[in-house]
Amino acid sequence: MVGKKKKITIAAALAMTAVLAAGGAGYTVLRAEQTTTSETAYRETAVQSGNLKLTFEEEGTTQVSAVSQIPEFNVGTVKLIVDEVYVEAGDTVEEGDALLKLTNESVEEATAYYEKAVSSAESTLKTAQADYESGKLDAEYDRQDATLALESAETTYNTSISDLDIDLADKKEAYEEASESLETYQSNLENNTYYTNAGIESKEEAVSEAEEANETAQKTLSDAVEDYQSATENFETLLKKLNNSDSDDISDLKSEISELTSSYETLKNVANTYDTASETATAASNALQQANETLAAAQKEYEENQTTAEEKVTELSTSVTELEEKYNTALLAYDTQKLAIQNTYDAAVLEGNSAESVYQAALVKLQASVDEAQETLDELKEEQAAFLALENGVITAEQAGTLASVTYEAGDTLFSNVAAVSYYSTGTITISVEV
């Protein structure tokens, strides 16, 4: 970086016997005083202007300040070799006098370095400026996003809490409904509810009644058949008798016809009874069949319901266990999830409230990168200008005065922040005397 002029103190030890008269310059005089003990004591007297007359005779040291001349370019980046040195300590020089010369190769290398360094710094600055613009857009987007999040934070919070409550309530309801269903099926199985609901006992009674009715109807029909057959035979016998009769007696014929007529009437009555008994028997048989079918359907219904209930008990036993675990898990996690929602809400509020300050801080950071790149470029250009100002690689005196020291010799390498030469400065003289 750019070198700065620094003041250093050069001390020269000497033995002296003196009477001092000083005026105008800033001197510091130390004079020892005798004390009642064997220890050495000091008193410091500062003279800024006027005359000081002090007489003493002791040995001591005098310190004279010096001003350093450090090159105003970074000599540590490129190896700069001293070609010639034109002065030595104690020489008096005027401002602009040649002090030392750098080799031509060093000058060429440094010139190329500064051209490349300045070009790189300019590119870095452009990149930093482009990053500033894009970063500014990103920061504005983040600020807007945080602001919008803040505006919707309360709604989002309420919705999230509501969803959490609903989810917990749904899991509880599902668990309770499954438990209730399981209890119902188990109770129905234990109480033989499906058998009762199917009405099997009443349907078995109906079958028994139908069987009795059918049996009675079949017996009545059988009797009617016998009666019909008997009446038919009797009628046919009388009819045959009449047909085979050879009697001419009218009264006999009338008697036979009357008997045949009576038999025919009996046959008709028996036939009617038979028809009625036959219809009754058919109806009773149908009723019995229907009763058996109804009973069979009831038994099937009972067996199906019983099987379904047993399957449901097995299924629901597993389901209830799973639903209970889910509900208990949700119940245990409820407070944690609610706290997480609260934290998200608080973070959104905090981010929203600090959006502007975060935005400004981002701009400051981006601007700092631009400023740093600009400062680096300016310093490099300043160093480059100072280096290019050397004529033929010659470093000249920056002021008139007496040289207190000359640091380098021909063939040496310049070092950063190391003075090329230093000048005596009579602005401050320190005299130390021990008595």
mmCIF file of all heavy atoms in Angstrom, residues 29-33 41-45 53-56 431-435:
data_model
loop_
_atom_site.group_PDB
_atom_site.id
_atom_site.type_symbol
_atom_site.label_atom_id
_atom_site.label_comp_id
_atom_site.label_asym_id
_atom_site.label_seq_id
_atom_site.Cartn_x
_atom_site.Cartn_y
_atom_site.Cartn_z
ATOM 1 N N VAL A 29 14.949 18.901 28.618
ATOM 2 C CA VAL A 29 16.185 18.805 29.407
ATOM 3 C C VAL A 29 15.886 18.021 30.661
ATOM 4 O O VAL A 29 14.931 18.321 31.378
ATOM 5 C CB VAL A 29 16.725 20.201 29.779
ATOM 6 C CG1 VAL A 29 17.972 20.060 30.625
ATOM 7 C CG2 VAL A 29 17.012 20.978 28.513
ATOM 8 N N LEU A 30 16.686 17.017 30.967
ATOM 9 C CA LEU A 30 16.546 16.232 32.180
ATOM 10 C C LEU A 30 17.692 16.609 33.108
ATOM 11 O O LEU A 30 18.859 16.584 32.725
ATOM 12 C CB LEU A 30 16.589 14.724 31.879
ATOM 13 C CG LEU A 30 15.471 14.194 30.966
ATOM 14 C CD1 LEU A 30 15.672 12.710 30.724
ATOM 15 C CD2 LEU A 30 14.134 14.455 31.604
ATOM 16 N N ARG A 31 17.381 16.962 34.362
ATOM 17 C CA ARG A 31 18.423 17.344 35.324
ATOM 18 C C ARG A 31 18.209 16.559 36.597
ATOM 19 O O ARG A 31 17.102 16.506 37.124
ATOM 20 C CB ARG A 31 18.348 18.851 35.631
ATOM 21 C CG ARG A 31 19.472 19.311 36.553
ATOM 22 C CD ARG A 31 19.399 20.815 36.745
ATOM 23 N NE ARG A 31 18.195 21.161 37.478
ATOM 24 C CZ ARG A 31 17.820 22.408 37.726
ATOM 25 N NH1 ARG A 31 18.512 23.412 37.250
ATOM 26 N NH2 ARG A 31 16.735 22.653 38.416
ATOM 27 N N ALA A 32 19.268 15.962 37.090
ATOM 28 C CA ALA A 32 19.168 15.165 38.301
ATOM 29 C C ALA A 32 19.276 16.054 39.513
ATOM 30 O O ALA A 32 19.943 17.069 39.504
ATOM 31 C CB ALA A 32 20.277 14.122 38.328
ATOM 32 N N GLU A 33 18.576 15.686 40.576
ATOM 33 C CA GLU A 33 18.670 16.420 41.835
ATOM 34 C C GLU A 33 19.184 15.471 42.909
ATOM 35 O O GLU A 33 18.871 14.289 42.921
ATOM 36 C CB GLU A 33 17.289 16.927 42.252
ATOM 37 C CG GLU A 33 16.743 17.992 41.308
ATOM 38 C CD GLU A 33 15.409 18.490 41.794
ATOM 39 O OE1 GLU A 33 14.760 17.755 42.556
ATOM 40 O OE2 GLU A 33 15.013 19.589 41.408
ATOM 41 N N ALA A 41 17.514 10.469 41.465
ATOM 42 C CA ALA A 41 16.237 11.086 41.141
ATOM 43 C C ALA A 41 16.388 11.938 39.908
ATOM 44 O O ALA A 41 17.469 12.445 39.622
ATOM 45 C CB ALA A 41 15.733 11.920 42.317
ATOM 46 N N TYR A 42 15.264 12.102 39.144
ATOM 47 C CA TYR A 42 15.278 12.880 37.893
ATOM 48 C C TYR A 42 14.170 13.904 37.920
ATOM 49 O O TYR A 42 13.116 13.689 38.503
ATOM 50 C CB TYR A 42 15.085 11.959 36.673
ATOM 51 C CG TYR A 42 16.206 10.950 36.497
ATOM 52 C CD1 TYR A 42 16.127 9.700 37.084
ATOM 53 C CD2 TYR A 42 17.333 11.287 35.749
ATOM 54 C CE1 TYR A 42 17.147 8.778 36.930
ATOM 55 C CE2 TYR A 42 18.351 10.370 35.596
ATOM 56 C CZ TYR A 42 18.272 9.113 36.178
ATOM 57 O OH TYR A 42 19.264 8.207 36.017
ATOM 58 N N ARG A 43 14.439 15.030 37.245
ATOM 59 C CA ARG A 43 13.404 16.023 37.035
ATOM 60 C C ARG A 43 13.473 16.441 35.582
ATOM 61 O O ARG A 43 14.550 16.697 35.063
ATOM 62 C CB ARG A 43 13.614 17.239 37.947
ATOM 63 C CG ARG A 43 12.470 18.259 37.813
ATOM 64 C CD ARG A 43 12.652 19.419 38.754
ATOM 65 N NE ARG A 43 13.766 20.244 38.321
ATOM 66 C CZ ARG A 43 14.281 21.231 39.058
ATOM 67 N NH1 ARG A 43 13.820 21.462 40.267
ATOM 68 N NH2 ARG A 43 15.296 21.947 38.616
ATOM 69 N N GLU A 44 12.311 16.522 34.953
ATOM 70 C CA GLU A 44 12.246 16.857 33.527
ATOM 71 C C GLU A 44 11.733 18.274 33.369
ATOM 72 O O GLU A 44 10.709 18.633 33.928
ATOM 73 C CB GLU A 44 11.309 15.879 32.780
ATOM 74 C CG GLU A 44 11.258 16.160 31.279
ATOM 75 C CD GLU A 44 10.403 15.131 30.566
ATOM 76 O OE1 GLU A 44 10.757 13.928 30.595
ATOM 77 O OE2 GLU A 44 9.382 15.530 30.001
ATOM 78 N N THR A 45 12.471 19.076 32.590
ATOM 79 C CA THR A 45 12.063 20.450 32.318
ATOM 80 C C THR A 45 11.906 20.597 30.819
ATOM 81 O O THR A 45 12.828 20.287 30.071
ATOM 82 C CB THR A 45 13.110 21.464 32.826
ATOM 83 O OG1 THR A 45 13.281 21.255 34.218
ATOM 84 C CG2 THR A 45 12.659 22.898 32.560
ATOM 85 N N LYS A 53 19.027 28.929 30.503
ATOM 86 C CA LYS A 53 20.414 28.956 30.915
ATOM 87 C C LYS A 53 20.561 27.972 32.051
ATOM 88 O O LYS A 53 19.969 28.150 33.100
ATOM 89 C CB LYS A 53 20.816 30.360 31.356
ATOM 90 C CG LYS A 53 22.313 30.557 31.447
ATOM 91 C CD LYS A 53 22.615 32.010 31.726
ATOM 92 C CE LYS A 53 23.656 32.503 30.764
ATOM 93 N NZ LYS A 53 24.030 33.881 31.014
ATOM 94 N N LEU A 54 21.305 26.896 31.805
ATOM 95 C CA LEU A 54 21.440 25.842 32.801
ATOM 96 C C LEU A 54 22.884 25.366 32.759
ATOM 97 O O LEU A 54 23.402 25.058 31.701
ATOM 98 C CB LEU A 54 20.497 24.680 32.479
ATOM 99 C CG LEU A 54 20.543 23.492 33.428
ATOM 100 C CD1 LEU A 54 20.090 23.925 34.816
ATOM 101 C CD2 LEU A 54 19.643 22.392 32.906
ATOM 102 N N THR A 55 23.490 25.347 33.881
ATOM 103 C CA THR A 55 24.902 24.943 33.937
ATOM 104 C C THR A 55 25.024 23.659 34.730
ATOM 105 O O THR A 55 24.468 23.544 35.824
ATOM 106 C CB THR A 55 25.756 26.031 34.620
ATOM 107 O OG1 THR A 55 25.605 27.231 33.870
ATOM 108 C CG2 THR A 55 27.221 25.630 34.649
ATOM 109 N N PHE A 56 25.691 22.646 34.144
ATOM 110 C CA PHE A 56 25.968 21.405 34.868
ATOM 111 C C PHE A 56 27.150 20.730 34.199
ATOM 112 O O PHE A 56 27.529 21.053 33.080
ATOM 113 C CB PHE A 56 24.745 20.476 34.882
ATOM 114 C CG PHE A 56 24.284 20.056 33.521
ATOM 115 C CD1 PHE A 56 24.832 18.930 32.915
ATOM 116 C CD2 PHE A 56 23.325 20.793 32.835
ATOM 117 C CE1 PHE A 56 24.408 18.552 31.670
ATOM 118 C CE2 PHE A 56 22.902 20.401 31.598
ATOM 119 C CZ PHE A 56 23.447 19.285 30.996
ATOM 120 N N ILE A 431 17.982 15.543 25.958
ATOM 121 C CA ILE A 431 19.281 15.379 26.632
ATOM 122 C C ILE A 431 19.021 14.696 27.967
ATOM 123 O O ILE A 431 18.236 15.163 28.768
ATOM 124 C CB ILE A 431 19.967 16.725 26.873
ATOM 125 C CG1 ILE A 431 20.184 17.423 25.513
ATOM 126 C CG2 ILE A 431 21.295 16.519 27.618
ATOM 127 C CD1 ILE A 431 20.725 18.827 25.662
ATOM 128 N N SER A 432 19.653 13.540 28.202
ATOM 129 C CA SER A 432 19.480 12.794 29.443
ATOM 130 C C SER A 432 20.800 12.818 30.209
ATOM 131 O O SER A 432 21.846 12.486 29.661
ATOM 132 C CB SER A 432 19.080 11.353 29.141
ATOM 133 O OG SER A 432 17.874 11.326 28.430
ATOM 134 N N VAL A 433 20.734 13.247 31.451
ATOM 135 C CA VAL A 433 21.945 13.333 32.299
ATOM 136 C C VAL A 433 21.640 12.682 33.653
ATOM 137 O O VAL A 433 20.585 12.897 34.230
ATOM 138 C CB VAL A 433 22.374 14.794 32.514
ATOM 139 C CG1 VAL A 433 23.574 14.853 33.421
ATOM 140 C CG2 VAL A 433 22.661 15.469 31.192
ATOM 141 N N GLU A 434 22.520 11.851 34.138
ATOM 142 C CA GLU A 434 22.373 11.217 35.436
ATOM 143 C C GLU A 434 23.403 11.825 36.390
ATOM 144 O O GLU A 434 24.600 11.906 36.081
ATOM 145 C CB GLU A 434 22.605 9.724 35.340
ATOM 146 C CG GLU A 434 22.441 8.994 36.671
ATOM 147 C CD GLU A 434 22.622 7.504 36.510
ATOM 148 O OE1 GLU A 434 22.661 7.011 35.366
ATOM 149 O OE2 GLU A 434 22.717 6.821 37.534
ATOM 150 N N VAL A 435 22.949 12.317 37.539
ATOM 151 C CA VAL A 435 23.883 12.960 38.495
ATOM 152 C C VAL A 435 23.733 12.273 39.847
ATOM 153 O O VAL A 435 22.742 11.588 40.112
ATOM 154 C CB VAL A 435 23.566 14.468 38.633
ATOM 155 C CG1 VAL A 435 23.856 15.156 37.313
ATOM 156 C CG2 VAL A 435 22.123 14.670 39.048
#
